[in-house]
């Protein structure tokens, strides 16, 4: 396999015998065998009961870490890009042999990464965007109040209903005090429109036809009648742009429509500038990657997929959703999700190779005092000690690496 190196590490003689003896003694203390007190069964009986092969495997577990460390020490001059894969290639009473597969850094041939002809989008904010943002803000501060009179589009109605087909009620077609927003199109087509004009306490039969693609087979395309009673009508009161509204906002220096619009324009501009910057970086990276030649090791992509999946799981957990629930909701599974993430994982690994090679070619270095200053700044931002922060992020080397990569990105941006 390209970009890999296989190394066999054999442990034999006294070292292997000691590992087996230690393992057998440990099992002897824990195992319960009929006819013997716990910990007192003869060694030959323990071996027979537990299984010779299982004993070898347990003994191998006690030696694999030291074998791994020896392999890493012997190959410290080789650039390894993932944790070596370890398997047992052979074992017997006389020896154990591990097979370590090292994934080596592939050769990277940079193509053109400067003057790629990619331009950053010019950011403009229209009056219409500002007005829409203002309306969204007003809606966020809206109040829902009880309304007198008739149901109108946009109102919230609290209703009782019962549906029937051919005068026979059907399962799931009945509810009491159901809250429905008129115009939300969450009900069967035609249902919400027929509520318009009704009053509190009014009852009415509503005629509808279920869609042909409805999930219940018996109701697909079927006409139905819903007996409906309106219990309460509510409306959303959007606040006026008055003194009370600006006081509720509590934004310093914002006391009228003009100043609020100016602030909203700045916010929209900042968001669009950030989006344009990210889009520009993505396009420059994509183009530079397409000009680069590298054979990406599959193991690196698999490792990146595992990281992405873990991050995705953490984000879901913050929303109170487990991965099992997510798979259930989306009728998916881990394999399908990883397949979906695969292109992004491959791009992330390719970007890493690109930026590392640019850093090497451009001879990017980071002074120790700059690394120390960055650690201090980030530790303060995360409200923890520098020691805690370094333990969390993987050490000063990771901070230095990250700073190098950011400088490489700046070179990419500035040269295009």
């Amino acid at each position: 396999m390209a970009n890999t190196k296989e190394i066999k590490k054999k442990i034999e003689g006294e070292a292997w015998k000691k590992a087996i003896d230690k393992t057998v003694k440990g099992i002897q203390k824990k195992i319960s065998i009929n006819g013997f007190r716990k910990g007192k069964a003869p060694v030959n009986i323990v071996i027979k009961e537990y299984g010779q092969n299982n004993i070898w495997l347990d003994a191998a577990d006690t030696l694999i870490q030291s074998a791994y460390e020896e392999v890493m020490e012997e190959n410290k001059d080789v650039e390894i890009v993932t944790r070596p894969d370890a398997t047992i290639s052979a074992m017997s009473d006389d020896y154990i042999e591990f097979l370590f597969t090292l994934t080596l850094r592939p050769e990277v041939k940079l193509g053109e990464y400067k003057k790629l002809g990619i331009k950053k989008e010019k950011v403009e904010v229209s009056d219409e965007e500002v007005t829409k943002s203002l309306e969204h803000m007003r809606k966020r501060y809206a109040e829902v109040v009880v309304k007198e009179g008739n149901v109108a589009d946009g109102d919230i109605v609290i209703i009782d209903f019962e549906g029937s087909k051919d005068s026979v009620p059907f399962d799931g077609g009945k509810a009491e005090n159901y809250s429905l927003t008129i115009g939300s199109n969450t009900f069967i087509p035609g249902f919400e429109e027929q509520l318009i004009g009704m009053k509190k306490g009014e009852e009415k039969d509503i005629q509808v036809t279920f869609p042909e693609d409805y999930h219940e087979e018996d109701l697909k395309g079927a006409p139905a009648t819903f007996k409906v009673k309106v219990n309460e009508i509510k409306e959303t009161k959007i606040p006026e742009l008055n003194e009370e509204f600006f006081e509720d906002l509590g934004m310093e220096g914002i006391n009228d429509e003009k100043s609020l619009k100016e602030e909203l324009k700045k916010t929209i501009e900042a968001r669009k500038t950030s989006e344009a910057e990210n889009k520009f970086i993505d396009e420059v990276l994509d183009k530079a990657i397409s000009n680069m030649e590298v054979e990406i090791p599959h193991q690196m992509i698999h490792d990146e997929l595992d990281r992405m999946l873990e991050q995705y799981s953490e984000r879901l957990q913050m929303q109170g959703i487990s991965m099992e629930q997510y798979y259930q909701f989306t009728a998916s599974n881990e394999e399908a999700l990883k397949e979906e993430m695969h292109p992004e994982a491959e791009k992330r690994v390719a970007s890493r190779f690109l930026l590392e090679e640019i850093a090497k070619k451009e001879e990017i270095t980071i002074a120790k005092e700059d690394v120390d200053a960055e650690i201090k700044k980030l530790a303060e931002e995360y409200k923890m000690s520098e020691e805690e922060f370094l333990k969390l992020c993987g050490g000063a080397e990771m901070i230095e690496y990250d700073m190098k990569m950011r400088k490489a990105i700046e070179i990419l941006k500035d040269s295009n």
Side-chain angles (χ1 to χ4, degrees), residues 56-68:
W56 289 341
L57 289 172
D58 284 3
D61 285 342
T62 68
L63 296 172
I64 193 165
Q65 182 59 31
S66 59
Y68 164 78

Side-chain angles (χ1 to χ4, degrees), residues 219-258:
L219 297 174
K220 286 183 177 179
T225 301
F226 281 86
K227 291 185 180 297
V228 179
K229 180 184 177 184
V230 176
N231 297 325
E232 193 171 45
I233 306 169
K234 298 179 181 180
E235 63 180 338
T236 304
K237 286 282 189 183
I238 296 176
E240 297 295 326
L241 295 173
N242 52 27
E243 186 178 342
E244 183 182 353
F245 176 73
F246 293 113
E247 284 180 1
D248 287 344
L249 281 181
M251 296 171 66
E252 190 176 348
I254 307 300
N255 49 28
D256 57 20
E257 185 176 347
K258 182 182 176 183

Side-chain angles (χ1 to χ4, degrees), residues 358-384:
I358 289 173
K360 190 186 298 180
K361 185 172 181 179
E362 299 285 343
E363 298 180 344
I364 294 174
T365 56
I366 309 294
K368 184 180 183 302
E369 53 266 31
D370 292 335
V371 176
D372 292 342
E374 182 75 359
I375 292 168
K376 181 179 174 63
K377 184 188 82 170
L378 291 172
E380 287 174 355
E381 285 180 9
Y382 284 98
K383 295 180 172 56
M384 57 177 67

Side-chain angles (χ1 to χ4, degrees), residues 304-318:
E304 188 63 36
L305 280 169
D306 288 340
R307 274 190 291 271
M308 289 172 68
L309 196 67
E310 186 178 350
Q311 291 165 358
Y312 195 70
S313 175
E314 288 171 358
R315 287 198 298 272
L316 287 175
Q317 284 175 9
M318 289 174 70

Side-chain angles (χ1 to χ4, degrees), residues 11 31 40 62 100 105 125 228 246 256 316 373 382 389:
I11 299 170
I31 197 170
K40 298 299 181 180
T62 68
F100 291 92
R105 179 182 175 83
V125 180
V228 179
F246 293 113
D256 57 20
L316 287 175
Y382 284 98
F389 173 72

Side-chain angles (χ1 to χ4, degrees), residues 156-270:
I156 300 167
V157 290
I158 310 300
I159 57 174
D160 297 339
F161 64 83
E162 182 173 19
S164 59
K165 174 190 170 187
D166 298 328
S167 301
V168 179
F170 50 80
D171 291 340
K174 183 178 180 179
E176 293 181 355
N177 291 320
Y178 184 88
S179 179
L180 175 65
T181 301
I182 306 301
S184 62
N185 299 316
T186 55
F187 230 90
I188 303 158
F191 184 94
E192 294 172 24
E193 293 84 346
Q194 294 180 63
L195 293 173
I196 293 174
M198 292 182 69
K199 295 179 180 179
K200 179 180 178 180
E202 185 177 346
E203 297 184 24
K204 182 179 179 179
D205 284 356
I206 288 177
Q207 310 296 328
V208 295
T209 301
F210 280 92
E212 293 291 344
D213 59 352
Y214 195 68
H215 61 274
E216 289 289 342
E217 190 66 36
D218 291 345
L219 297 174
K220 286 183 177 179
T225 301
F226 281 86
K227 291 185 180 297
V228 179
K229 180 184 177 184
V230 176
N231 297 325
E232 193 171 45
I233 306 169
K234 298 179 181 180
E235 63 180 338
T236 304
K237 286 282 189 183
I238 296 176
E240 297 295 326
L241 295 173
N242 52 27
E243 186 178 342
E244 183 182 353
F245 176 73
F246 293 113
E247 284 180 1
D248 287 344
L249 281 181
M251 296 171 66
E252 190 176 348
I254 307 300
N255 49 28
D256 57 20
E257 185 176 347
K258 182 182 176 183
S259 58
L260 178 56
K261 281 188 170 181
E262 286 173 354
E263 186 63 29
L264 289 173
K265 184 173 183 177
K266 288 178 187 175
T267 302
I268 296 169
E269 191 170 44

